[in-house]
Short mmCIF file of all heavy atoms in Angstrom, two decimals:
data_model
loop_
_atom_site.label_atom_id
_atom_site.label_comp_id
_atom_site.label_asym_id
_atom_site.label_seq_id
_atom_site.Cartn_x
_atom_site.Cartn_y
_atom_site.Cartn_z
N ASN A 696 -100.68 -66.25 3.89
CA ASN A 696 -99.82 -65.55 3.09
C ASN A 696 -100.44 -64.15 2.81
O ASN A 696 -101.51 -64.11 2.15
CB ASN A 696 -99.51 -66.31 1.71
CG ASN A 696 -98.57 -65.57 0.77
OD1 ASN A 696 -98.58 -64.39 0.76
ND2 ASN A 696 -97.78 -66.32 0.15
N PRO A 697 -99.89 -63.12 3.16
CA PRO A 697 -100.49 -61.80 3.12
C PRO A 697 -100.57 -61.22 1.61
O PRO A 697 -101.13 -60.16 1.44
CB PRO A 697 -99.55 -60.86 4.01
CG PRO A 697 -98.28 -61.48 4.06
CD PRO A 697 -98.57 -63.00 3.92
N PHE A 698 -99.89 -61.93 0.72
CA PHE A 698 -99.83 -61.44 -0.68
C PHE A 698 -100.70 -62.03 -1.70
O PHE A 698 -100.71 -61.63 -2.81
CB PHE A 698 -98.40 -61.52 -1.15
CG PHE A 698 -97.40 -60.85 -0.27
CD1 PHE A 698 -96.50 -61.55 0.59
CD2 PHE A 698 -97.39 -59.40 -0.14
CE1 PHE A 698 -95.69 -60.87 1.47
CE2 PHE A 698 -96.50 -58.78 0.71
CZ PHE A 698 -95.70 -59.53 1.49
N VAL A 699 -101.56 -63.05 -1.29
CA VAL A 699 -102.46 -63.76 -2.17
C VAL A 699 -103.88 -63.91 -1.47
O VAL A 699 -103.91 -63.90 -0.27
CB VAL A 699 -101.94 -65.09 -2.61
CG1 VAL A 699 -100.56 -64.88 -3.32
CG2 VAL A 699 -101.72 -65.99 -1.42
N ASP A 700 -104.84 -64.14 -2.35
CA ASP A 700 -106.16 -64.37 -1.83
C ASP A 700 -106.47 -65.85 -1.66
O ASP A 700 -107.22 -66.32 -0.89
CB ASP A 700 -107.22 -63.78 -2.78
CG ASP A 700 -107.20 -62.24 -2.82
OD1 ASP A 700 -106.89 -61.65 -1.71
OD2 ASP A 700 -107.50 -61.68 -3.85
N GLN A 701 -105.84 -66.65 -2.57
CA GLN A 701 -106.02 -68.10 -2.61
C GLN A 701 -104.72 -68.80 -3.01
O GLN A 701 -103.90 -68.28 -3.82
CB GLN A 701 -107.10 -68.58 -3.59
CG GLN A 701 -108.47 -68.23 -3.34
CD GLN A 701 -109.46 -68.94 -4.25
OE1 GLN A 701 -109.03 -69.73 -5.10
NE2 GLN A 701 -110.66 -68.62 -4.15
N ILE A 702 -104.60 -69.98 -2.46
CA ILE A 702 -103.64 -70.96 -2.83
C ILE A 702 -104.22 -72.39 -2.79
O ILE A 702 -105.00 -72.63 -1.89
CB ILE A 702 -102.32 -70.95 -1.92
CG1 ILE A 702 -101.75 -69.51 -1.84
CG2 ILE A 702 -101.28 -71.93 -2.33
CD1 ILE A 702 -100.54 -69.44 -0.82
N PHE A 703 -103.94 -73.19 -3.78
CA PHE A 703 -104.55 -74.57 -3.87
C PHE A 703 -106.08 -74.45 -3.99
O PHE A 703 -106.79 -75.36 -3.66
CB PHE A 703 -104.26 -75.43 -2.72
CG PHE A 703 -102.83 -75.33 -2.13
CD1 PHE A 703 -102.58 -74.96 -0.89
CD2 PHE A 703 -101.75 -75.61 -2.89
CE1 PHE A 703 -101.41 -74.74 -0.32
CE2 PHE A 703 -100.51 -75.49 -2.44
CZ PHE A 703 -100.25 -75.04 -1.11
N GLY A 704 -106.65 -73.27 -4.51
CA GLY A 704 -108.06 -73.11 -4.55
C GLY A 704 -108.68 -72.85 -3.19
O GLY A 704 -109.91 -72.90 -3.05
N VAL A 705 -107.90 -72.58 -2.15
CA VAL A 705 -108.37 -72.37 -0.78
C VAL A 705 -108.14 -70.93 -0.35
O VAL A 705 -107.04 -70.39 -0.73
CB VAL A 705 -107.60 -73.34 0.25
CG1 VAL A 705 -107.96 -73.09 1.63
CG2 VAL A 705 -107.88 -74.80 -0.18
N ARG A 706 -108.98 -70.31 0.33
CA ARG A 706 -108.79 -68.98 0.81
C ARG A 706 -107.47 -68.88 1.63
O ARG A 706 -107.33 -69.69 2.49
CB ARG A 706 -109.98 -68.49 1.62
CG ARG A 706 -109.83 -67.06 2.09
CD ARG A 706 -110.92 -66.51 2.90
NE ARG A 706 -110.58 -65.26 3.39
CZ ARG A 706 -111.30 -64.59 4.26
NH1 ARG A 706 -112.41 -65.12 4.80
NH2 ARG A 706 -110.88 -63.41 4.66
N ALA A 707 -106.75 -67.91 1.31
CA ALA A 707 -105.55 -67.54 2.08
C ALA A 707 -105.80 -66.40 3.08
O ALA A 707 -106.55 -65.50 2.75
CB ALA A 707 -104.37 -67.28 1.22
N TYR A 708 -105.17 -66.51 4.20
CA TYR A 708 -105.31 -65.38 5.25
C TYR A 708 -104.02 -64.65 5.37
O TYR A 708 -102.99 -65.17 5.23
CB TYR A 708 -105.77 -66.00 6.60
CG TYR A 708 -107.16 -66.58 6.51
CD1 TYR A 708 -107.31 -67.94 6.18
CD2 TYR A 708 -108.24 -65.87 6.74
CE1 TYR A 708 -108.57 -68.56 6.05
CE2 TYR A 708 -109.53 -66.45 6.61
CZ TYR A 708 -109.65 -67.78 6.30
OH TYR A 708 -110.98 -68.26 6.05
N PRO A 709 -104.18 -63.40 5.67
CA PRO A 709 -102.89 -62.56 5.76
C PRO A 709 -102.04 -62.81 7.05
O PRO A 709 -100.79 -62.60 7.03
CB PRO A 709 -103.36 -61.10 5.84
CG PRO A 709 -104.87 -61.18 6.03
CD PRO A 709 -105.29 -62.52 5.73
N SER A 710 -102.65 -63.38 8.07
CA SER A 710 -101.85 -63.66 9.30
C SER A 710 -102.59 -64.85 10.10
O SER A 710 -103.80 -65.04 9.80
CB SER A 710 -101.75 -62.41 10.15
OG SER A 710 -102.98 -62.10 10.75
N LEU A 711 -101.91 -65.39 11.02
CA LEU A 711 -102.52 -66.36 11.92
C LEU A 711 -103.79 -65.79 12.64
O LEU A 711 -104.77 -66.50 12.78
CB LEU A 711 -101.58 -66.90 12.92
CG LEU A 711 -100.45 -67.89 12.45
CD1 LEU A 711 -99.53 -68.17 13.60
CD2 LEU A 711 -101.14 -69.09 11.94
N ALA A 712 -103.58 -64.48 13.07
CA ALA A 712 -104.69 -63.88 13.79
C ALA A 712 -106.03 -63.83 12.96
O ALA A 712 -107.10 -63.71 13.57
CB ALA A 712 -104.27 -62.54 14.27
N ASP A 713 -105.88 -63.80 11.64
CA ASP A 713 -106.99 -63.71 10.77
C ASP A 713 -107.72 -65.02 10.44
O ASP A 713 -108.83 -65.03 9.88
CB ASP A 713 -106.57 -63.06 9.44
CG ASP A 713 -106.14 -61.64 9.57
OD1 ASP A 713 -106.86 -60.83 10.21
OD2 ASP A 713 -105.02 -61.31 9.09
N VAL A 714 -107.16 -66.13 10.86
CA VAL A 714 -107.73 -67.43 10.62
C VAL A 714 -108.90 -67.49 11.58
O VAL A 714 -108.68 -67.47 12.83
CB VAL A 714 -106.74 -68.58 10.77
CG1 VAL A 714 -107.48 -69.94 10.57
CG2 VAL A 714 -105.61 -68.43 9.78
N PRO A 715 -110.12 -67.70 11.03
CA PRO A 715 -111.36 -67.59 11.95
C PRO A 715 -111.77 -68.92 12.63
O PRO A 715 -113.00 -69.07 12.85
CB PRO A 715 -112.41 -67.16 10.93
CG PRO A 715 -112.01 -67.84 9.61
CD PRO A 715 -110.41 -67.78 9.65
N GLU A 716 -110.79 -69.70 13.00
CA GLU A 716 -111.16 -70.97 13.56
C GLU A 716 -109.93 -71.39 14.50
O GLU A 716 -108.88 -70.85 14.35
CB GLU A 716 -111.49 -72.09 12.59
CG GLU A 716 -110.40 -72.37 11.68
CD GLU A 716 -110.80 -73.40 10.67
OE1 GLU A 716 -111.38 -72.93 9.59
OE2 GLU A 716 -110.50 -74.60 10.78
N PRO A 717 -110.19 -72.33 15.44
CA PRO A 717 -109.06 -72.85 16.18
C PRO A 717 -108.00 -73.39 15.35
O PRO A 717 -108.31 -74.00 14.27
CB PRO A 717 -109.71 -73.86 17.13
CG PRO A 717 -111.21 -73.57 17.11
CD PRO A 717 -111.46 -72.98 15.83
N LEU A 718 -106.74 -73.24 15.78
CA LEU A 718 -105.60 -73.71 15.06
C LEU A 718 -105.19 -75.04 15.45
O LEU A 718 -104.83 -75.32 16.63
CB LEU A 718 -104.38 -72.72 15.14
CG LEU A 718 -104.65 -71.28 14.77
CD1 LEU A 718 -103.37 -70.45 14.96
CD2 LEU A 718 -105.23 -71.20 13.34
N ASP A 719 -105.25 -76.08 14.62
CA ASP A 719 -104.69 -77.48 14.85
C ASP A 719 -103.25 -77.49 14.80
O ASP A 719 -102.62 -77.31 15.93
CB ASP A 719 -105.36 -78.35 13.82
CG ASP A 719 -105.40 -79.81 14.27
OD1 ASP A 719 -104.98 -80.12 15.46
OD2 ASP A 719 -105.95 -80.66 13.57
N MET A 720 -102.67 -77.52 13.71
CA MET A 720 -101.22 -77.44 13.60
C MET A 720 -100.79 -76.15 12.82
O MET A 720 -101.45 -75.86 11.80
CB MET A 720 -100.61 -78.71 12.82
CG MET A 720 -99.11 -78.50 12.56
SD MET A 720 -98.50 -79.58 11.28
CE MET A 720 -98.54 -81.15 12.14
N VAL A 721 -99.83 -75.42 13.30
CA VAL A 721 -99.23 -74.36 12.63
C VAL A 721 -98.00 -74.82 12.01
O VAL A 721 -97.02 -75.26 12.71
CB VAL A 721 -98.97 -73.10 13.55
CG1 VAL A 721 -98.19 -72.11 12.73
CG2 VAL A 721 -100.38 -72.57 14.00
N ASN A 722 -97.87 -74.79 10.66
CA ASN A 722 -96.67 -75.35 9.93
C ASN A 722 -95.93 -74.04 9.40
O ASN A 722 -96.57 -73.21 8.65
CB ASN A 722 -97.15 -76.23 8.82
CG ASN A 722 -96.02 -76.77 7.96
OD1 ASN A 722 -96.14 -76.75 6.77
ND2 ASN A 722 -94.89 -77.21 8.61
N VAL A 723 -94.66 -73.93 9.68
CA VAL A 723 -93.96 -72.64 9.40
C VAL A 723 -93.01 -72.88 8.20
O VAL A 723 -92.06 -73.67 8.33
CB VAL A 723 -93.24 -72.26 10.63
CG1 VAL A 723 -92.46 -70.89 10.34
CG2 VAL A 723 -94.16 -72.08 11.78
N PHE A 724 -93.24 -72.13 7.14
CA PHE A 724 -92.32 -72.02 6.04
C PHE A 724 -91.82 -70.64 5.87
O PHE A 724 -91.97 -69.90 4.93
CB PHE A 724 -93.04 -72.40 4.66
CG PHE A 724 -93.20 -73.82 4.33
CD1 PHE A 724 -94.33 -74.55 4.67
CD2 PHE A 724 -92.10 -74.52 3.69
CE1 PHE A 724 -94.48 -75.86 4.33
CE2 PHE A 724 -92.31 -75.88 3.42
CZ PHE A 724 -93.41 -76.45 3.70
N ARG A 725 -91.21 -70.18 6.91
CA ARG A 725 -90.53 -68.77 7.03
C ARG A 725 -89.11 -69.01 7.47
O ARG A 725 -88.74 -70.04 8.07
CB ARG A 725 -91.31 -67.93 7.97
CG ARG A 725 -92.76 -67.72 7.63
CD ARG A 725 -92.95 -66.83 6.37
NE ARG A 725 -92.22 -65.54 6.53
CZ ARG A 725 -91.55 -64.98 5.60
NH1 ARG A 725 -91.58 -65.51 4.43
NH2 ARG A 725 -91.00 -63.84 5.82
N PRO A 726 -88.19 -68.09 7.21
CA PRO A 726 -86.83 -68.20 7.58
C PRO A 726 -86.74 -68.38 9.17
O PRO A 726 -87.58 -67.89 9.91
CB PRO A 726 -86.19 -66.85 7.21
CG PRO A 726 -87.07 -66.31 6.12
CD PRO A 726 -88.48 -66.86 6.46
N SER A 727 -85.70 -68.96 9.62
CA SER A 727 -85.44 -69.22 11.09
C SER A 727 -85.62 -67.93 11.80
O SER A 727 -86.17 -67.92 12.94
CB SER A 727 -84.11 -69.90 11.30
OG SER A 727 -84.11 -71.17 10.76
N ALA A 728 -85.08 -66.83 11.32
CA ALA A 728 -85.20 -65.58 12.06
C ALA A 728 -86.54 -65.09 12.26
O ALA A 728 -86.90 -64.35 13.19
CB ALA A 728 -84.42 -64.47 11.24
N ASP A 729 -87.52 -65.47 11.47
CA ASP A 729 -88.92 -65.09 11.54
C ASP A 729 -89.76 -66.05 12.37
O ASP A 729 -90.91 -65.78 12.73
CB ASP A 729 -89.61 -65.02 10.21
CG ASP A 729 -89.03 -63.92 9.26
OD1 ASP A 729 -88.28 -63.10 9.73
OD2 ASP A 729 -89.29 -64.02 8.06
N ALA A 730 -89.20 -67.20 12.66
CA ALA A 730 -89.94 -68.27 13.38
C ALA A 730 -90.40 -67.75 14.75
O ALA A 730 -91.50 -68.17 15.19
CB ALA A 730 -89.09 -69.51 13.55
N LEU A 731 -89.67 -67.08 15.54
CA LEU A 731 -90.01 -66.70 16.89
C LEU A 731 -91.31 -65.89 16.80
O LEU A 731 -92.27 -66.10 17.59
CB LEU A 731 -88.97 -65.87 17.51
CG LEU A 731 -89.33 -65.40 19.03
CD1 LEU A 731 -89.64 -66.63 19.87
CD2 LEU A 731 -88.12 -64.57 19.53
N ASP A 732 -91.49 -64.96 15.86
CA ASP A 732 -92.65 -64.10 15.78
C ASP A 732 -93.87 -65.00 15.39
O ASP A 732 -95.06 -64.81 16.03
CB ASP A 732 -92.60 -62.99 14.72
CG ASP A 732 -91.68 -61.86 15.25
OD1 ASP A 732 -91.47 -61.80 16.56
OD2 ASP A 732 -91.13 -61.17 14.43
N VAL A 733 -93.60 -65.99 14.56
CA VAL A 733 -94.85 -66.92 14.26
C VAL A 733 -95.21 -67.72 15.34
O VAL A 733 -96.33 -67.91 15.64
CB VAL A 733 -94.44 -67.79 12.96
CG1 VAL A 733 -95.53 -68.74 12.72
CG2 VAL A 733 -94.08 -66.92 11.76
N VAL A 734 -94.24 -68.21 16.15
CA VAL A 734 -94.49 -69.08 17.28
C VAL A 734 -95.19 -68.25 18.33
O VAL A 734 -96.13 -68.76 18.99
CB VAL A 734 -93.22 -69.80 17.76
CG1 VAL A 734 -93.46 -70.47 19.09
CG2 VAL A 734 -92.78 -70.81 16.71
N LYS A 735 -94.75 -66.99 18.51
CA LYS A 735 -95.38 -66.13 19.55
C LYS A 735 -96.92 -66.07 19.19
O LYS A 735 -97.75 -66.12 20.11
CB LYS A 735 -94.82 -64.80 19.60
CG LYS A 735 -93.48 -64.70 20.35
CD LYS A 735 -92.91 -63.22 20.30
CE LYS A 735 -91.59 -63.15 20.97
NZ LYS A 735 -90.98 -61.86 20.87
N ALA A 736 -97.21 -65.75 17.96
CA ALA A 736 -98.59 -65.61 17.54
C ALA A 736 -99.41 -66.96 17.68
O ALA A 736 -100.54 -66.94 18.16
CB ALA A 736 -98.64 -65.17 16.00
N ALA A 737 -98.69 -68.01 17.40
CA ALA A 737 -99.33 -69.34 17.54
C ALA A 737 -99.68 -69.61 18.95
O ALA A 737 -100.72 -70.12 19.25
CB ALA A 737 -98.49 -70.46 16.95
N VAL A 738 -98.79 -69.33 19.90
CA VAL A 738 -99.03 -69.55 21.16
C VAL A 738 -100.18 -68.70 21.74
O VAL A 738 -101.01 -69.11 22.53
CB VAL A 738 -97.69 -69.30 22.04
CG1 VAL A 738 -97.96 -69.23 23.61
CG2 VAL A 738 -96.64 -70.42 21.75
N GLU A 739 -100.13 -67.40 21.39
CA GLU A 739 -101.17 -66.43 21.82
C GLU A 739 -102.54 -66.90 21.37
O GLU A 739 -103.59 -66.75 22.11
CB GLU A 739 -100.84 -65.01 21.21
CG GLU A 739 -99.67 -64.33 21.93
CD GLU A 739 -99.45 -63.00 21.18
OE1 GLU A 739 -100.28 -62.54 20.40
OE2 GLU A 739 -98.34 -62.51 21.54
N ILE A 740 -102.63 -67.51 20.17
CA ILE A 740 -103.88 -67.92 19.65
C ILE A 740 -104.36 -69.35 20.19
O ILE A 740 -105.51 -69.73 20.11
CB ILE A 740 -103.86 -67.91 18.08
CG1 ILE A 740 -103.72 -66.49 17.62
CG2 ILE A 740 -105.06 -68.60 17.43
CD1 ILE A 740 -103.33 -66.40 16.17
N GLY A 741 -103.41 -70.09 20.73
CA GLY A 741 -103.66 -71.41 21.27
C GLY A 741 -103.56 -72.53 20.36
O GLY A 741 -104.34 -73.48 20.39
N ALA A 742 -102.62 -72.49 19.42
CA ALA A 742 -102.35 -73.57 18.45
C ALA A 742 -102.19 -74.86 19.23
O ALA A 742 -101.58 -74.90 20.35
CB ALA A 742 -101.14 -73.31 17.63
N ARG A 743 -102.70 -75.95 18.67
CA ARG A 743 -102.49 -77.32 19.38
C ARG A 743 -101.12 -77.85 19.16
O ARG A 743 -100.60 -78.65 19.92
CB ARG A 743 -103.52 -78.28 18.79
CG ARG A 743 -104.92 -77.97 19.31
CD ARG A 743 -105.94 -79.07 18.97
NE ARG A 743 -105.38 -80.35 19.27
CZ ARG A 743 -105.47 -81.39 18.31
NH1 ARG A 743 -106.08 -81.30 17.16
NH2 ARG A 743 -105.04 -82.56 18.67
#
């Protein structure tokens, strides 16, 4: 979430590309119209 530093007491990252480790599951809570961009990023990064 690009608008916060933490959620649930856990560091939040502004984008998938900023997550500093391999992505296990990418779970999407964005509108359907935004899903393609999120999936493109997840594919590029190699999400499982």
